[in-house]
Amino acid sequence: MSKFGTLLKINLKLLLRNKGFLFFLCVTPIVSAVILNLKTESVLYENEETKNGIIELEKCSDKAVYVGDTTKYILKVYDGSGSELSQYLLESLAMTGMFSVCRCDVQDMSEEQVREQAKKDAFDDRAGVLLFIKENFESSVLEGDYQKAIQVYLVSDDERWELFKVELTDILSKIHCAGEYTQQNASKVSDVLKSMDKGIPQKHIVNLRGKEEIALTNEQISQKSLIGYAYAIITLGFLFCGVCVAHTVIEEQDNKVYTRAMLSKLSRTEYFFSKFIVASLVSVMQTFILGICIFVVRDMDFGINKYVFLFVIFCLGLIFSIISLLLGILLGDVMSANYAVFSLWSISALLSGLYFSLDATSMIIKAVSYLMPQRWFLRVAELLLAGDQGAYSMILYVTAAYLILCISIGSVGLKMKHCDV
């Protein structure tokens, strides 16, 4: 066996005797697989939109911002009427495509109780408008007395309020006109309104998005969140396994093994390249364990082809394994390397959007987030979920770019430590 092959074999033996290495090697892929197999039944999916576009809230205390579509203007509606005309009003608002209508039934509550609830929601909820449809809605709106029919609470400075006001006025006027036509016969008004709507061209709502935006369904958004959590857990394993590889370098330098290797005519380039190979093999091993967990659970479905996902994980792991290896070698101390990689993991996971969306953050944070590898791989996950073939080239480009950057920085750092590569 060649000196290079012997060195690889020795390093792998040392790693497999390290209990900490075995822990991160086995546990983090298993935990990641468990996360990927979670079936999230969040409030958003428990209160799915009905066919008429209205989201039903079980209790008035439920927050509309948790269940509504945040890309639309959220309306929280206290429906004290429960009539056909109030239903028509809310359906019409929902069908415009501009508003996310969240309704709670308050027919068993007094107006004073509704007002108290509205005061709480004005501070605790993030709806744009609170809408109280009163008990006498039908008779009041047919008479044209809109103030007695409905109470509107504006609780945000969103400019879409003007659009809502116009739409609400138009719909109420339409109901009133239908009432005049039927001589305020509420039972006939609904039929007239339906006849009027049949003559209106059907509206087809199209979401226009920029080239950097991807339209995902609610289910895909949930899957993306799970993938983000899985990224966070498994990258922790890659980082600490990389430190374990760096630990072999530190030990060999302290025990003069490195010196003896150099005296055996093994070049420094071959020596450090062997460590990169070991780090790569560790990434393969962790990805393999994750693959076993994924394929054992046959009904696991997280929206991405399993083989493609494993390749993505391998590329992500390769980047973090090399980063932690270089950090360990440059710092020259295992404890310092542990602190460094844990700090790196914590900050990068937060700034890359693995735990929460970065949409509402400042431009500076968004710019910094693109320095984090997880941010790009989360983008890859979005593309794969959306079926975009551009994800495959992005995986290769991002992986190559980070590896070149890491190896370049590592080479400079090693030379500064008087360790010619």
Side-chain angles (χ1 to χ4, degrees):
M1 184 180 292
S2 66
K3 296 176 183 178
F4 186 79
T6 303
L7 192 59
L8 287 178
K9 183 179 179 181
I10 293 172
N11 277 271
L12 288 173
K13 282 184 177 180
L14 290 173
L15 286 174
L16 293 175
R17 292 173 184 171
N18 187 325
K19 294 180 181 179
F21 170 79
L22 292 176
F23 174 83
F24 286 106
L25 178 68
C26 299
V27 173
T28 51
I30 293 173
V31 174
S32 300
V34 170
I35 291 174
L36 289 170
N37 196 41
L38 291 176
K39 305 297 181 183
T40 54
E41 298 291 341
S42 63
V43 180
L44 177 62
Y45 306 118
E46 292 173 357
N47 298 284
E48 290 181 341
E49 291 187 12
T50 59
K51 292 181 180 179
N52 55 27
I54 301 172
I55 300 174
E56 302 291 350
L57 302 176
E58 293 183 4
K59 305 186 297 294
C60 284
S61 58
D62 291 345
K63 290 181 171 56
V65 69
Y66 289 165
V67 300
D69 186 347
T70 54
T71 63
K72 300 178 182 178
Y73 193 48
I74 298 178
L75 314 177
K76 183 169 185 178
V77 181
Y78 311 102
D79 191 354
S81 173
S83 60
E84 288 188 29
L85 295 185
S86 67
Q87 180 74 13
Y88 176 81
L89 168 66
L90 299 181
E91 286 181 7
S92 300
L93 288 170
M95 293 305 177
T96 60
M98 296 182 289
F99 312 113
S100 182
V101 181
C102 305
R103 174 174 61 185
C104 57
D105 188 351
V106 296
Q107 295 182 64
D108 58 344
M109 294 173 62
S110 66
E111 288 195 19
E112 185 61 33
Q113 288 175 318
V114 174
R115 290 192 185 95
E116 288 299 319
Q117 182 62 46
K119 288 180 182 178
K120 292 180 182 178
D121 290 336
F123 291 98
D124 298 338
D125 210 335
R126 293 289 300 275
V129 163
L130 305 176
L131 201 62
F132 175 30
I133 300 177
K134 299 183 180 180
E135 184 180 1
N136 60 345
F137 174 78
E138 281 197 344
S139 58
S140 298
V141 76
L142 292 177
E143 292 172 1
D145 193 347
Y146 303 151
Q147 291 184 348
K148 288 185 179 180
I150 196 167
Q151 182 71 45
V152 180
Y153 302 94
L154 177 63
V155 292
S156 76
D157 56 358
D158 195 310
E159 294 179 355
R160 288 175 292 183
W161 152 254
E162 295 296 334
L163 293 173
F164 167 73
K165 187 166 60 173
V166 171
E167 287 290 337
L168 179 63
T169 303
D170 288 346
I171 297 169
L172 292 176
S173 299
K174 185 178 178 180
I175 296 173
H176 175 62
C177 291
E180 296 226 327
Y181 179 77
T182 59
Q183 298 180 347
Q184 298 187 7
N185 188 332
S187 61
K188 295 182 180 180
V189 171
S190 295
D191 295 333
V192 173
L193 290 170
K194 290 176 182 177
S195 299
M196 293 170 64
D197 289 341
K198 286 181 181 179
I200 300 175
Q202 292 295 316
K203 181 184 294 184
H204 178 62
I205 300 169
V206 178
N207 291 323
L208 298 180
R209 297 176 177 265
K211 63 180 181 179
E212 298 300 324
E213 298 181 48
I214 301 172
L216 299 178
T217 64
N218 286 338
E219 183 181 2
Q220 288 174 330
I221 291 172
S222 176
Q223 291 169 334
K224 173 191 166 186
S225 299
L226 293 179
I227 290 171
Y229 299 145
Y231 279 174
I233 296 299
I234 202 162
T235 51
L236 182 65
F238 284 125
L239 281 169
F240 278 104
C241 284
V243 170
C244 291
V245 178
H247 176 62
T248 62
V249 179
I250 297 169
E251 287 291 312
E252 287 170 352
Q253 289 179 343
D254 292 342
N255 297 330
K256 307 302 179 182
V257 175
Y258 172 75
T259 303
R260 291 196 294 271
M262 296 301 100
L263 293 174
S264 66
K265 298 183 179 181
L266 180 73
S267 69
R268 292 180 176 85
T269 301
E270 287 180 320
Y271 176 80
F272 286 106
F273 183 67
S274 69
K275 301 301 179 181
F276 292 138
I277 295 297
V278 171
S280 302
L281 290 175
V282 169
S283 299
V284 171
M285 293 162 66
Q286 283 187 283
T287 305
F288 180 74
I289 294 172
L290 177 62
I292 292 175
C293 297
I294 289 176
F295 284 101
V296 164
V297 184
R298 295 183 180 180
D299 61 343
M300 183 184 290
D301 180 19
F302 43 88
I304 298 176
N305 179 280
K306 294 179 180 180
Y307 293 102
V308 174
F309 180 74
L310 290 174
F311 178 68
V312 171
I313 291 295
F314 167 72
C315 292
L316 181 64
L318 186 60
I319 292 171
F320 276 97
S321 295
I322 299 302
I323 288 175
S324 60
L325 169 62
L326 292 175
L327 280 175
I329 294 174
L330 292 174
L331 293 174
D333 178 72
V334 176
M335 189 60 68
S336 299
N338 286 331
Y339 291 144
V341 298
F342 186 77
S343 300
L344 173 66
W345 174 77
S346 303
I347 295 171
S348 63
L350 285 172
L351 291 179
S352 57
L354 297 187
Y355 303 134
F356 56 85
S357 174
L358 299 177
D359 293 339
T361 57
S362 66
M363 293 301 296
I364 294 176
I365 294 179
K366 288 179 181 178
V368 172
S369 71
Y370 283 106
L371 298 175
M372 311 301 160
Q374 301 102 309
R375 172 69 164 165
W376 291 100
F377 281 88
L378 200 60
R379 176 70 176 178
V380 166
E382 291 179 349
L383 293 172
L384 291 172
L385 287 169
D388 193 328
Q389 299 299 313
Y392 300 104
S393 58
M394 179 178 283
I395 296 170
L396 298 176
Y397 293 150
V398 170
T399 304
Y402 275 104
L403 290 179
I404 292 171
L405 180 65
C406 292
I407 293 173
S408 300
I409 294 175
S411 299
V412 173
L414 290 170
K415 287 182 179 180
M416 291 177 65
K417 290 192 61 163
H418 308 288
C419 188
D420 296 330
V421 182

